[in-house]
Amino acid sequence: MENLKNKGEFTTEKVVSYPPKKAQGKFDEVPGKYCVRDLSLADEGQKLIDWAESRMPVLMHLREIYSKTKPFKGYKISGCLHVTKETAVLIRTLVESGAEVSWSGCNPLSTNDAVAAALAKQGISIFAWHGNLEDFYWCIERTIDIPPHLTLDDGCDLINTVHEKYPEMAKTHIIGGTEETTTGVHRLRARQEAGQLLYPVFAVNDTETKWDFDNVYGTGQSTLDGIMRATSVLIAGKTVVVAGHGHCGSGVAKRAKGLGANTVITEVKPTAAIKALLEGHQVMTMDQAAEIGDIFITATGCKDVIRKWHFEKMKDGAIVCNTGHYDVEINIPELEELAVSKRTIRENCEEYTLKDGRRIYLLAQGRLINLAAAEGHPSEVMDMSFANQFMALLRFVEAHKEGKKFPIEVMDIPPEQDEYIATLKLQSMGVQIDKLTPEQEQYLKDYLAGT
Ligand code: 9W1
């Protein structure tokens, strides 16, 4: 095993102020250890974590195995990922597998303060609170005051901080990193292209057990959940228009159909449009759909999907929302222009009245409805994504112990890992599947067979 570098080797004399300079309000903090909003929320947070644990059998299975052998012993992991009950299950699993962990959130709004408090109380080094816009990077920096051997990212902010501010740490101390999202993987590939990547990174995003389940089933359910929480409308019998039939859009449409909606898809890609048709959805242009839709959901990743002339055609009472990554899919400035008045009906539900008296309801101000009005992906879905994170980090540690090095590039996770995680998930669900006989395996390999 290669010697692990000493802790603190790269820590220059830093004078760090606690609580962070820019932050407002009360904090509970122990300098160098944690900084959270309110430690008295810990019991509430612990109950949420317990609940998530009961829904995340794959991670719990990995915890059971590796808490015995503690493969991460002697390794420090810094993470920058949504502080949620699901993430807490991942953190706890890493800790019980021997890791020393420090954490910050990767999004100012996703931190659950109760979960953060519970983690701090468990002795985990955590720097995160809800609404942290001002001290976002302050928190990230605190997680690397003790230099990590491994980094875990969602959106690349930790990797970027290390590369830009502490290149020596990146070059000589950090063994590897993992990245959870599409955006992060794009940024990393750009960094690699520019010759600026300093350590190997696994693209956890690009696994089947992450990508397919997050997008299709995670977004599918949470989007409908968000719409129902924001409006309480009956979905059955409604005409639900989904813009985009990619992974997310198809998941959303599938769930809307399951709730009894008449589903309409709009697309720009011919193959995606055929798939939608063969799934039993109607396909038409947004111009046509605007006239008949009761609920509009954008899931395209593109801007200006619903515009002025669409609003002008919509029925009185139409509901409009977005589940795509940015709040540009619905052209809200044009809706504002058309409206003569606007009022808030309830949380995440705003009514725009147009000149002729028709009312259009915009949910969550066009931001991601599944995050704003619901709770993101269910624990069962995050179970597989985070099991991929765990296994990817384990790959680095096992290779490191054998003195092996990975190429300094953005790496794909081997397909065996997907199969392994899917197998564990099936086992946890009590589902058995068939196994190929040796003869069948031979048949599949034989290029002459079948003639
Ligand atoms: N990630 N545990 C909001 C989530 C924001 C969020 C975001 C998830 C999870 C998509 C990750 C208000 C959880 C997260 C709860 C919540 C994501 C952004 C998760 C769904 C992705 C930009 N991206 N995700 N659970 N906020 O569900 O870690 O409730």
Side-chain angles (χ1 to χ4, degrees), residues 17 19-27 35 37 129 131-136 138-139:
S17 69
K21 280 210 181 70
K22 297 177 202 155
Q24 302 285 310
K26 163 194 177 307
F27 284 91
C35 188
R37 187 53 91 181
W129 57 91
N132 172 16
L133 295 154
E134 300 84 7
D135 295 297
F136 189 77
W138 182 90
C139 286

Side-chain angles (χ1 to χ4, degrees), residues 81-87 106-107 109-111 130 154 180-181 214 219 222 325 368 370-379 382 386:
L81 194 147
H82 307 290
V83 178
T84 63
K85 58 189 187 304
E86 291 78 21
T87 302
C106 68
N107 181 291
L109 297 176
S110 61
T111 296
H130 187 86
D154 181 321
E180 170 83 3
T181 61
D214 261 45
T219 309
S222 58
H325 207 75
L368 286 94
N370 65 324
L371 305 180
E375 294 170 63
H377 303 329
S379 307
M382 298 313 294
F386 287 169

Side-chain angles (χ1 to χ4, degrees), residues 178-180 185 202-207 210 385 388-389 392 413:
T178 58
E179 170 55 51
E180 170 83 3
V185 171
F202 271 121
V204 169
N205 183 68
D206 300 350
T207 57
K210 196 271 177 189
S385 307
N388 272 303
Q389 284 284 359
I413 287 182

Side-chain angles (χ1 to χ4, degrees), residues 33-58:
K33 197 65 203 155
Y34 63 78
C35 188
V36 298
R37 187 53 91 181
D38 182 359
L39 211 56
S40 75
L41 298 171
D43 288 349
E44 188 192 315
Q46 191 56 52
K47 281 188 254 184
L48 295 174
I49 299 170
D50 292 346
W51 174 257
E53 279 186 355
S54 75
R55 314 275 140 181
M56 301 180 84
V58 178

Side-chain angles (χ1 to χ4, degrees), residues 377-424:
H377 303 329
S379 307
E380 290 87 338
V381 171
M382 298 313 294
D383 189 24
M384 286 191 284
S385 307
F386 287 169
N388 272 303
Q389 284 284 359
F390 184 95
M391 295 305 296
L393 292 169
L394 190 59
R395 277 178 195 283
F396 279 123
V397 163
E398 284 178 344
H400 185 256
K401 286 178 185 171
E402 289 169 16
K404 286 190 200 145
K405 282 203 166 75
F406 287 105
I408 300 183
E409 57 186 38
V410 182
M411 300 181 294
D412 282 337
I413 287 182
E416 306 89 76
Q417 183 173 313
D418 258 331
E419 301 300 331
Y420 176 61
I421 288 168
T423 303
L424 293 180

Side-chain angles (χ1 to χ4, degrees), residues 11 23 140 170 195 235 239 271 302:
T11 15
I140 291 180
I235 305 294
T239 296
T271 47
C302 194

